[in-house]
Structures are given as structure tokens and as C-alpha cells.
């Protein structure tokens, strides 16, 4: 294992800039916020560690990219930011996220609540879930894993066509695996920053996807018409677990971060690090490093304390994010469904430590 180390001065410049205008902008931040952000270049800080590399297949090694500091983010002419008329993030569910209607409905509400806290100050709205057939996308059975896949590019086209007028962006989420083109095996997600649309699959985040007992395998399509979507009736959906929810929240916020103009982070351990495989994605933290946090704060305009408190409330939340099952649901759906946040507990403790620094 090796670590990506930057000098104190390099990190300080990446965070604050040497541009007098941006330095002045930084100095106008609340003193507590600056104290937290300055942890980026404090060698003895215990909140923001370096990026660790475990193999040659890790993202930074296999996908060399120029790092993006705050000044480059701020000056990017192609970057889009929310406006008073477009301050909503829309989530479009494609297919079911759970093996019952209640689980699917609750899961998307949990993701909505998480996004509202993470992108604090913006409105997150849910569109009515749609079946795969409505998108008119191409689909296939993967030759290697024998699971159903839908065409990511075609889904993006559907989302762009149906993007609401007040949307900063619209993101599709699904439990069906994705592929971007015939020659590719799969893709976790795909986005168009120009159009403000993205599609992300959580299919491979289930605990059993890579096991020999994976229940989502299907027989190779036998001359099924490209317009016959009945193959998606009752397709396999993994069990909702705390790890699945954590991985879903990571992917959703990472990819929406790209739509805000945040490129892959190469400064410190950060949600915005790239990942080539599930193991690397799991090593990636839920939090933004100070440099990426300043970028997002610049784009959205939140108070850091308010944002962190909202994230703690989401982790602690009960009735607000996990409403009881109504009597209208069938007996098989009538279950108590608490939000599975066990995997978030360590992160909650980290947030509380950050709040202590800000309030010091």
C-alpha cells in the first residue's frame, strides 16, 4: 500500500488559492468554518487523511487525471451552478428498488432525505417511478454475469426529454445493471454534465452480486423482441441492507457532485475520489475533503454547521424518514421498516468531531 502525499503548501494553495479575489472570499468565511477547512493542510490533523493506493488497478494509477483545485473549479467556464429558478434535484426511479412496494418507496425516500442533507439548501424532489418499458431503452443479458442490463445512454436521453423546468439536474436510479455500449461489460453510472442528467445503478452493490449463488441470473434472451419488456417483470432485486444503503448514498452524491463540476479528487481521502472497483469504492469515505467541501459550498451556498447537523439528523431520523406502513398496503407489505443506518454510525461520530472543531 502507498499513500498520495502532498506538501502543506500544496494543499493550502489547492484549498485557498493564491488569487487575491479568492483569498479574500475565503477570509470572509466564518472563522469556525475556516478552522475546519484548514485541517486540510495541518499535518497533525486526524479528520482528513491521505489517499491510499492498494493496487495498480486503483483509479488514480489507471486513470491519470490533472487535479482540480478550488481556483480551477471556480474558474471553469463550463461549470453549472444552481440558480434561483433552478434549485431542485430530481430523482427518477426506474423499476423497483425493493422486492415489495413498501421497501421500494421507503428506499427512495431515504435517498431523497440523504441528498437533501448532503446538498443542504437545495430541494430534492421525487418523480413518479416508471417501469423500464416507459424509457424505450435497449437491453440485454450480460454474457459474463448472466444478469439483465439496460442501456445507460438511452436512459439519459429519456431523462433529458423529461427534465422539469425548475431542475438543476435530474438523476435516474435503478437496481438494474447498466451498460454504455455493446463492447462494454457494465458501468456503475453515466452522466452528462452539459445536460444535467445522470443514471446510476445499485445492482452490483448487493452483497450477493458476485457470488455463484446470485439469484439475478437469467437465461440468454431467446429471440425476444427489443420492444418486449416483459422480461423485466419481477426481476431480481437484492435485499436492502445498511451496506447497500451506504453504497447507494455514496454513488448518488459522488455522481451528482460531478454534475456540480467537481472532478475526481486527488488531494485527500474524499467521496469524490474515483473508483475502479467495488473494493476501492468501499474504501472511499462518505465525506468530502475540505477542498471539495469548499467547492460544493461555493456552488450551493450552505452553512457547514447546518449541513453537518442535517446529516446527523438523517442518520438519527426515525419518523421523518421512515414513516409507518399505511393500512392500504397488502398484508405481505405490512412490515416495520426502520432505516438501516448501522453502517453510518462511524461517520456520524466523525461529523460530530468536525462540528466540535467548527464550534471550538
Amino acid at each position: 500500500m502507498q499513500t498520495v502525499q502532498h506538501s502543506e503548501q500544496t494543499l493550502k494553495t489547492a484549498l485557498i488559492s493564491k488569487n487575491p479575489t479568492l483569498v479574500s472570499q475565503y477570509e470572509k468565511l466564518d472563522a469556525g468554518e475556516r478552522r475546519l477547512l484548514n485541517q486540510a493542510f495541518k499535518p497533525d490533523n486526524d479528520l482528513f487523511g491521505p489517499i491510499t493506493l492498494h493496487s495498480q488497478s486503483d483509479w488514480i494509477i489507471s486513470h491519470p487525471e490533472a487535479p482540480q483545485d478550488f481556483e480551477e473549479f471556480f474558474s471553469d467556464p463550463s461549470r453549472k451552478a444552481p440558480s434561483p429558478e433552478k434549485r431542485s434535484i430530481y430523482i427518477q426511479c426506474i423499476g423497483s428498488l425493493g422486492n415489495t412496494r413498501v421497501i421500494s418507496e421507503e428506499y427512495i425516500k431515504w435517498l431523497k432525505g440523504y441528498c437533501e442533507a448532503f446538498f443542504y439548501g437545495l430541494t430534492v424532489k421525487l418523480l413518479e417511478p416508471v417501469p423500464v418499458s416507459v424509457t424505450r431503452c435497449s437491453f440485454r443479458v450480460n454474457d459474463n454475469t448472466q444478469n439483465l442490463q439496460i442501456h445507460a445512454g438511452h436512459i439519459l436521453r429519456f431523462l433529458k426529454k423529461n427534465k422539469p423546468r425548475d431542475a438543476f439536474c435530474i438523476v435516474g436510479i435503478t437496481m438494474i445493471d447498466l451498460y454504455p455500449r455493446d463492447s462494454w461489460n457494465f458501468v456503475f453510472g453515466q452522466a452528462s454534465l452539459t445536460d444535467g442528467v445522470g443514471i446510476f445503478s445499485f445492482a452490483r452493490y448487493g452483497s450477493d452480486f458476485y457470488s455463484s449463488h446470485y439469484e439475478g441470473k437469467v437465461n440468454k434472451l431467446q429471440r425476444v423482441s427489443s420492444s418486449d419488456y416483459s422480461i423485466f417483470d419481477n426481476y431480481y432485486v437484492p435485499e436492502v441492507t445498511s451496506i447497500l444503503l451506504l453504497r447507494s448514498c455514496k454513488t448518488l452524491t459522488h455522481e451528482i457532485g460531478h454534475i456540480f463540476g467537481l472532478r475526481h479528487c486527488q488531494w485527500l481521502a474524499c467521496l469524490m475520489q474515483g473508483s475502479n472497483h467495488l473494493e476501492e469504492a468501499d474504501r472511499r469515505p462518505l465525506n468530502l475533503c475540505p477542498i471539495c467541501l469548499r467547492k460544493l459550498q461555493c456552488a450551493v451556498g450552505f452553512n457547514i454547521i447546518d449541513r453537518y447537523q442535517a446529516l446527523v439528523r438523517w442518520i438519527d431520523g426515525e419518523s421523518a424518514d421512515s414513516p409507518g406502513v399505511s393500512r392500504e398496503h397488502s398484508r405481505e407489505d405490512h412490515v416495520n421498516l426502520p432505516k438501516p443506518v448501522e453502517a453510518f454510525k462511524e461517520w456520524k461520530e466523525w461529523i460530530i468531531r468536525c462540528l466540535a472543531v467548527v464550534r471550538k
Side-chain angles (χ1 to χ4, degrees):
M1 182 181 78
Q2 70 181 92
T3 58
V4 179
Q5 296 283 2
H6 298 286
S7 70
E8 179 180 333
Q9 186 57 52
T10 297
L11 291 170
K12 186 174 182 178
T13 302
L15 171 67
I16 301 173
S17 169
K18 291 184 177 180
N19 181 311
T21 301
L22 297 184
V23 172
S24 175
Q25 182 191 100
Y26 187 78
E27 290 172 346
K28 291 177 182 177
L29 294 176
D30 174 80
E33 292 187 337
R34 292 201 311 273
R35 186 163 48 247
L36 177 68
L37 296 174
N38 286 347
Q39 297 297 307
F41 55 85
K42 300 295 184 184
D44 57 345
N45 98 84
D46 61 352
L47 292 173
F48 305 99
I51 295 173
T52 60
L53 304 177
H54 292 242
S55 75
Q56 293 298 309
S57 65
D58 282 2
W59 182 273
I60 287 181
I61 297 174
S62 57
H63 293 80
E65 297 174 280
Q68 179 197 49
D69 59 20
F70 178 77
E71 183 175 342
E72 289 170 311
F73 167 83
F74 186 84
S75 306
D76 185 353
S78 64
R79 177 173 66 88
K80 296 184 182 299
S83 65
E85 299 79 26
K86 296 181 182 293
R87 291 190 63 82
S88 296
I89 296 172
Y90 280 84
I91 299 178
Q92 173 69 74
C93 185
I94 297 169
S96 177
L97 296 185
N99 51 25
T100 70
R101 179 179 53 160
V102 170
I103 293 175
S104 189
E105 289 174 353
E106 295 298 274
Y107 201 85
I108 195 169
K109 288 177 185 176
W110 297 335
L111 294 173
K112 172 183 180 290
Y114 186 80
C115 280
E116 285 176 333
F118 195 93
F119 301 101
Y120 188 80
L122 298 185
T123 302
V124 180
K125 300 178 181 180
L126 299 179
L127 295 171
E128 194 67 26
V130 297
V132 177
S133 58
V134 170
T135 70
R136 312 311 297 171
C137 68
S138 297
F139 56 90
R140 73 180 187 187
V141 172
N142 184 292
D143 288 333
N144 300 316
T145 52
Q146 296 299 304
N147 63 299
L148 281 168
Q149 295 183 304
I150 53 180
H151 194 291
H154 296 173
I155 300 293
L156 290 180
R157 185 175 61 198
F158 166 79
L159 294 172
K160 180 181 178 181
K161 182 179 178 181
N162 292 277
K163 185 179 179 182
R165 290 188 175 182
D166 67 334
F168 168 69
C169 66
I170 176 173
V171 293
I173 57 175
T174 183
M175 282 293 184
I176 306 170
D177 206 23
L178 300 172
Y179 71 103
R181 57 180 66 96
D182 291 342
S183 59
W184 279 49
N185 184 27
F186 78 98
V187 68
F188 284 119
Q190 193 171 343
S192 169
L193 278 58
T194 304
D195 296 325
V197 297
I199 173 66
F200 320 114
S201 169
F202 308 140
R204 293 178 181 248
Y205 293 155
S207 59
D208 60 344
F209 185 89
Y210 293 100
S211 77
S212 58
H213 306 294
Y214 177 59
E215 297 179 28
K217 295 179 180 179
V218 296
N219 294 324
K220 187 70 176 175
L221 292 178
Q222 298 178 349
R223 300 184 182 277
V224 175
S225 166
S226 60
S227 60
D228 181 7
Y229 292 90
S230 63
I231 192 169
F232 291 97
D233 295 344
N234 301 313
Y235 66 88
Y236 176 72
V237 177
E239 178 187 2
V240 172
T241 64
S242 187
I243 294 297
L244 179 63
L245 180 59
L246 182 143
R247 289 169 171 169
S248 300
C249 288
K250 270 189 188 181
T251 295
L252 192 56
T253 49
H254 173 100
E255 299 297 347
I256 294 175
H258 282 319
I259 297 176
F260 278 94
L262 279 73
R263 298 210 297 265
H264 284 132
C265 181
Q266 300 184 53
W267 303 111
L268 296 162
C270 178
L271 173 80
M272 292 309 298
Q273 287 172 237
S275 63
N276 246 0
H277 44 80
L278 187 57
E279 180 188 348
E280 187 177 18
D282 282 344
R283 291 199 305 267
R284 188 171 59 188
L286 283 157
N287 59 276
L288 295 170
C289 75
I291 297 162
C292 291
L293 180 58
R294 187 186 178 195
K295 294 174 187 176
L296 187 64
Q297 184 189 40
C298 172
V300 179
F302 51 71
N303 174 281
I304 289 178
I305 287 182
D306 291 343
R307 176 179 177 271
Y308 278 156
Q309 288 177 329
L311 287 165
V312 170
R313 284 196 301 273
W314 181 86
I315 296 171
D316 288 342
E318 295 176 2
S319 57
D321 290 308
S322 300
V325 178
S326 74
R327 294 180 182 178
E328 297 176 356
H329 295 135
S330 66
R331 180 173 297 178
E332 69 174 10
D333 285 344
H334 191 80
V335 292
N336 180 30
L337 197 63
K339 184 165 54 182
V341 293
E342 298 81 9
F344 294 84
K345 295 301 185 184
E346 186 176 329
W347 191 47
K348 175 188 170 182
E349 295 171 3
W350 180 91
I351 294 174
I352 291 172
R353 288 164 55 209
C354 288
L355 284 169
V357 171
V358 179
R359 293 165 170 159
K360 190 174 180 180

